[in-house]
Amino acid sequence: MLDHRSALAGTLAVFVIASIAFRKAHHAAGAWVIDDAGITYAAAFELADHHSLAPYVGGTPVEGYSNPLLFFVVAGLRGIGAFDPVRTHVRLEMLVFATMVTLTWSTVRRLAGELAALAGAGAFAVLELVTPATWVWFCSGLESVWVSCGLVALIWLTVRTTTGAPLTPRWGALPFLVAITRPESPAYVAAFYAALFGFARPPVLDLRRHLRQVAGALLVTIGLYAVFLCWRRIGYCDWLPNTYYAKLRDHDLAGHLRGYVIPQVLPYCGALLLGGSVLALLVTPAFERLGQCLVVALIASLALPITAGADWMGEHRFATSFLTVCHMCFAVYVASCAVGLARVTPRRWRAAQLMPASGIVLAAAIVGYSGNAVHDDVALNGVTLPYVADLQGGQRWEHQMRLGVPYAVVQMPDAGGSLLVGGMQLLDNGYLTDFQMARLGRAFAPTDGAPGPTTDLGVLHQYQVIERRPDLMDSNAYYPLDSRVLDKDYLTGQGRLLARRGLVEVANVDPRAEQVFDDGHVRVYLSPETVRTAAPGGLVRCELIVAWDGGPIDDKLRIRGMVDGGDHDEISLAPYSKDDHGIERRALLLGSPYWRGAFATSLELVGDGQLVATRRPAFTLEVTTDDAALTRAASALARAGSPLEIARRIAWLGAQSIPRLGMTAFRRQMASMQADNTHRSPRAGGRVLELRWNARRPEPARLPAAIRDAERAAARALFAACPPASDGDFAARATRIACLGRANDELRRLGELDALAAVPEIARELADAHDDYTRGTPAQQYQMLVGLTLADPSDVTLQRSLLAARLALGTSGEFPPLP
């Protein structure tokens, strides 16, 4: 009992000390989290919040994250309301690191006693915390520390078995958990079982009993992993994660070994020397079998750097598991040296016994070198989660709201911060979270970065621009994009993302528009598309039409809007277009008061800080939650215009029916998040979650009945605008299905994801097309599949069929027209 209590006390002491050491070592980093971690967090949030395996609501289920174990952990914490995207991961990684150090201590303790275990665990912890790669990536929010801890846990379990502890079948759960920490982790588990079979038989067991125990644990691991694979197959309709299709386009294993692993990874911070200390263990009594297991782990831990090569993020992120095993090799060597020093007596002091002391000196030299590297050379990656949540999350959301698409399709490389903020449908030309791009990219993506003049981007263009038709587009040339599209279909605004031309430009000023200002050069109108009804605390989109001629508009000319008792907003009138004349839409976002009533809304034109003109009242805003008032408002919005225009107005009536941050509070929140990110403050995580709340869509069940009824009527009218088709005319039917899918796609951009449920006859028609689309020609099949996938993006079977149909037509370069 005393030994048991002593061991428990030692375990707790090592765990606590390692936790403190981790926090102290990373104090300078603050609450730092890399943006890529947000991809896992966003996927877990969608599972917890909406019970969906898609990266965003209404999307295609894809496993675009690299760590299923972390995904399940975050989803569980989110489900109980206990996960913060900046604060929580720091605590999790501290606990995982402390567990890794404690397992190292326990491993050495089984072979060499308490003092040697403390020496080994101390050397291991110091090397992990001063080596730049492990110091940076273990506090990044990514899976690096989880994978490294898993490898150490497997080594610990091997030594535990070697020293005679029974290997019961339930221990097979541990290798399973390791296997789902990262896509290459099954290789670590295979190496673990090879070491168990080859080197871990306890002296008290005969070979047959040992093999029976190992086989029992292996069966449990295989069984659990088979369940996981079936879950993946059922949930994502694929046996392999989407990251496989997105990343493994280059299988030059020999090239990675020659060009990256040997010249860069092995010399990094003495990794070859540290790992080479395992050779001394192979000839050291009591440590030789642990040395054999470490050799196997060293080889297995090179699986990712050999497979994937160098990572653009720097500091050898993919090699952290290998470095951890190297550090453990040296930690065990230091423990063996401590054992040797403890056995030295004055009468038996010989030169050969000075070797342990030289090992300690060597450890101190390497620690000193690595420590200098940390303090002098390491810079944390600037692409943090709060930074992207600001730039491509909050700012992107504001841009799309001004454009009038509350649930916009946005093309940008996989951005965890933007996904976590939400309020968009991501077209991921970075591949990870997009089913189509991940599979198209392997065949069509340029291999040297930006597309060149000879790059064939026809198929990618068809999917990205023609089928999905992004509302906002990132112009980053590193990712595949037909640059000819930008000038033709997109305009550069004041934000980072380009806007679809059709959302900005206007052919003519609507005769119903009310003129606000005219100086002969610039004319500003209040658009009739402005929905003048909102709920208390709602955000009103006040649409303006700006017309100019005779030269560009002065950048200093601004327009300001105010609601009595509510919030105010101000924007520049500088146009997207650089032409000398044009007509464009603009929009102010005005926070309504938090109480009911009728409130005057004013507009002011400001030039170079001076008031130029005032319109008061520009219109009266009705703030209400009364069904009768909302019914009257919806009826007025539906009186004139095309079905799509009416659907837009009704959708905005719904969007203005939920409380949001006013633009004053929104800008204050964004500025605070920027400051928190600069100072690596944990408060940034709470601000990201506030932006996520602000960008949410209205929940249909919580909308007033009058708005729900108006949305159903608008959806029915929009579907009815698609051309009819007889049963015998398959060409006309293909066109109709494509049109129905496009109509549903338009409604989805407006935030209405359940429009088909309101029109059951259209849902049945689409279901019939799903069953017999193969009867048409390849072009007709393609048209129908585009319509069907736009109607239901969550159907992976349809996505796979569309991929094949597009590739088949892509060989000829002739695609049929789409609505």
Side-chain angles (χ1 to χ4, degrees):
M1 178 66 69
L2 185 61
D3 289 343
H4 177 72
R5 288 180 178 176
S6 176
L8 180 59
T11 301
L12 291 176
V14 171
F15 185 89
V16 170
I17 293 171
S19 300
I20 295 172
F22 184 87
R23 291 302 299 127
K24 290 293 185 182
H26 290 97
H27 178 74
W32 178 74
V33 54
I34 194 72
D35 176 64
D36 276 34
I39 298 173
T40 304
Y41 301 167
F45 273 38
E46 289 302 325
L47 178 61
D49 294 353
H50 303 112
H51 311 295
S52 167
L53 290 173
Y56 54 85
V57 180
T60 306
V62 289
E63 190 179 339
Y65 48 86
S66 299
N67 187 339
L69 179 60
L70 182 57
F71 166 76
F72 291 129
V73 170
V74 174
L77 292 174
R78 173 66 176 179
I80 61 174
F83 188 84
D84 180 284
V86 173
R87 198 184 301 267
T88 306
H89 89 87
V90 175
R91 298 167 181 168
L92 285 176
E93 287 161 345
M94 178 182 69
L95 298 177
V96 174
F97 178 82
T99 300
M100 182 166 55
V101 175
T102 304
L103 289 173
T104 301
W105 172 80
S106 179
T107 299
V108 178
R109 181 176 176 272
R110 285 183 172 272
L111 301 175
E114 300 284 352
L115 293 177
L118 288 175
F124 175 79
V126 170
L127 282 172
E128 291 282 270
L129 293 176
V130 300
T131 300
T134 47
W135 181 82
V136 167
W137 296 116
F138 281 5
C139 71
S140 66
L142 291 173
E143 68 276 0
S144 302
V145 71
W146 294 77
V147 181
S148 295
C149 184
L151 267 170
V152 172
L154 294 180
I155 295 169
W156 168 81
L157 184 55
T158 305
V159 172
R160 182 182 183 277
T161 304
T162 302
T163 56
L167 182 68
T168 57
R170 64 174 176 268
W171 280 109
L174 178 59
F176 160 70
L177 293 177
V178 176
I180 61 171
T181 54
R182 203 158 59 186
E184 85 281 2
S185 294
Y188 307 155
V189 174
F192 159 72
Y193 276 109
L196 273 184
F197 275 110
F199 312 119
R201 181 169 67 87
V204 297
L205 285 183
D206 60 38
L207 181 60
R208 179 173 297 179
R209 290 181 60 194
H210 173 64
L211 294 180
R212 189 180 301 121
Q213 286 189 2
V214 175
L218 176 60
L219 287 175
V220 171
T221 302
I222 292 174
L224 291 174
Y225 197 72
V227 171
F228 167 73
L229 287 179
C230 291
W231 172 84
R232 172 186 283 165
R233 183 68 177 83
I234 294 170
Y236 299 108
C237 297
D238 219 327
W239 295 108
L240 295 170
N242 208 54
T243 50
Y244 166 80
Y245 301 98
K247 289 186 174 181
L248 294 186
R249 294 187 292 274
D250 181 4
H251 295 280
D252 186 10
L253 306 184
H256 290 158
L257 183 63
R258 292 191 307 269
Y260 174 58
V261 174
I262 293 176
Q264 298 184 48
V265 174
L266 296 185
Y268 179 76
C269 286
L272 183 60
L273 186 61
L274 293 170
S277 60
V278 74
L279 299 176
L281 299 178
L282 294 175
V283 295
T284 303
F287 290 94
E288 64 273 12
R289 290 213 281 179
L290 174 54
Q292 293 166 343
C293 296
L294 287 170
V295 169
V296 175
L298 277 172
I299 296 171
S301 62
L302 286 171
L304 185 58
I306 290 176
T307 304
D311 177 52
W312 70 270
M313 291 186 183
E315 289 301 344
H316 304 290
R317 178 168 70 100
F318 290 161
T320 51
S321 300
F322 170 73
L323 295 172
T324 293
V325 180
C326 289
H327 296 162
M328 191 171 187
C329 290
F330 192 75
V332 177
Y333 173 64
V334 168
S336 71
C337 292
V339 172
L341 283 174
R343 292 174 181 172
V344 172
T345 63
R347 289 187 177 184
R348 302 184 61 189
W349 190 274
R350 293 180 289 184
Q353 290 171 319
L354 294 176
M355 292 300 295
S358 68
I360 302 298
V361 172
L362 179 60
I366 291 175
V367 166
Y369 162 73
S370 299
N372 289 333
V374 167
H375 295 299
D376 296 340
D377 300 329
V378 175
L380 298 175
N381 193 308
V383 188
T384 63
L385 191 152
Y387 172 78
V388 176
D390 168 21
L391 187 69
Q392 293 185 329
Q395 291 185 37
R396 176 266 307 162
W397 174 83
E398 178 185 351
H399 194 176
Q400 71 190 47
M401 292 292 281
R402 294 190 188 281
L403 291 173
V405 273
Y407 202 52
V409 176
V410 182
Q411 177 172 291
M412 67 171 69
D414 40 76
S418 195
L419 274 173
L420 202 56
V421 167
M424 70 167 181
Q425 306 171 72
L426 179 63
L427 199 171
D428 181 6
N429 63 339
Y431 307 115
L432 286 182
T433 59
D434 194 293
F435 178 90
Q436 296 286 339
M437 286 297 298
R439 288 153 181 81
L440 286 173
R442 297 188 68 189
F444 293 91
T447 57
D448 58 349
T454 60
T455 304
D456 180 13
L457 294 174
V459 174
L460 277 176
H461 171 83
Q462 185 69 17
Y463 168 63
Q464 292 175 295
V465 179
I466 306 301
E467 295 175 24
R468 293 300 306 277
R469 200 172 64 187
D471 301 304
L472 291 170
M473 181 182 289
D474 191 323
S475 60
N476 191 330
Y478 180 78
Y479 297 93
L481 177 69
D482 190 340
S483 59
R484 294 167 296 182
V485 173
L486 301 183
D487 295 333
K488 178 184 176 184
D489 297 327
Y490 288 84
L491 293 167
T492 304
Q494 297 176 355
R496 185 174 186 273
L497 300 175
L498 308 181
R500 180 157 53 90
R501 190 178 291 269
L503 295 173
V504 177
E505 291 185 336
V506 181
N508 298 291
V509 176
D510 192 315
R512 297 172 298 160
E514 303 170 25
Q515 189 174 92
V516 176
F517 174 77
D518 183 2
D519 69 352
H521 169 44
V522 179
R523 298 176 302 282
V524 180
Y525 302 85
L526 178 63
S527 170
E529 296 301 306
T530 299
V531 177
R532 306 181 186 192
T533 305
L539 194 64
V540 177
R541 180 176 179 269
C542 176
E543 183 174 287
L544 306 170
I545 299 174
V546 181
W548 75 98
D549 51 38
I553 300 176
D554 186 350
D555 290 347
K556 296 179 181 179
L557 189 62
R558 306 179 67 81
I559 192 162
R560 177 187 302 151
M562 294 158 286
V563 181
D564 288 354
D567 199 21
H568 67 273
D569 187 24
E570 182 177 324
I571 58 172
S572 169
L573 288 183
Y576 285 75
S577 171
K578 306 307 178 187
D579 294 340
D580 290 339
H581 58 88
I583 307 174
E584 293 183 353
R585 295 185 183 91
R586 285 290 182 280
L588 294 163
L589 300 175
L590 306 176
S592 67
Y594 285 92
W595 54 92
R596 303 175 187 178
F599 301 90
T601 300
S602 306
L603 296 176
E604 295 180 350
L605 204 66
V606 179
D608 200 12
Q610 301 297 317
L611 183 64
V612 176
T614 301
R615 176 71 177 268
R616 176 178 173 81
F619 65 92
T620 300
L621 176 66
E622 183 179 9
V623 179
T624 182
T625 56
D626 179 66
D627 257 9
L630 291 173
T631 299
R632 290 194 299 271
S635 177
L637 294 173
R639 284 176 188 163
S642 69
L644 181 56
E645 290 171 338
I646 293 172
R648 283 200 186 109
R649 295 178 204 136
I650 300 299
W652 272 103
L653 181 63
Q656 294 175 189
S657 69
I658 62 172
R660 297 189 196 271
L661 295 174
M663 294 310 293
T664 302
F666 175 79
R667 291 196 176 94
R668 187 185 306 121
Q669 189 81 348
M670 296 282 283
S672 298
M673 187 169 66
Q674 292 169 9
D676 289 339
N677 180 61
T678 300
H679 297 100
R680 308 297 190 203
S681 168
R683 291 191 297 267
R687 303 194 195 283
V688 173
L689 295 182
E690 183 76 5
L691 291 178
R692 180 181 178 86
W693 171 86
N694 192 58
R696 72 200 189 283
R697 296 174 301 103
E699 297 181 32
R702 297 186 180 183
L703 283 175
I707 295 179
R708 292 202 305 271
D709 292 342
E711 287 182 343
R712 293 191 192 100
R716 188 178 294 277
L718 186 59
F719 287 126
C722 289
S726 62
D727 292 339
D729 189 348
F730 206 88
R733 189 177 177 210
T735 301
R736 175 172 170 78
I737 296 300
C739 179
L740 293 175
R742 180 65 73 193
N744 194 66
D745 177 56
E746 293 289 353
L747 292 170
R748 186 183 296 108
R749 294 169 199 250
L750 298 173
E752 299 178 23
L753 272 65
D754 59 345
L756 285 173
V759 193
E761 64 273 20
I762 298 298
R764 287 194 296 271
E765 183 177 357
L766 290 168
D768 292 341
H770 183 289
D771 294 335
D772 65 356
Y773 71 87
T774 55
R775 293 194 296 113
T777 65
Q780 292 165 355
Q781 291 182 36
Y782 168 76
Q783 285 179 302
M784 294 184 75
L785 283 167
V786 169
L788 291 171
T789 54
L790 290 177
D792 183 12
S794 66
D795 192 325
V796 183
T797 302
L798 286 175
Q799 294 283 356
R800 207 178 299 278
S801 299
L802 174 58
L803 177 70
R806 187 189 306 109
L807 289 174
L809 289 177
T811 57
S812 64
E814 297 179 1
F815 290 96
L818 295 175

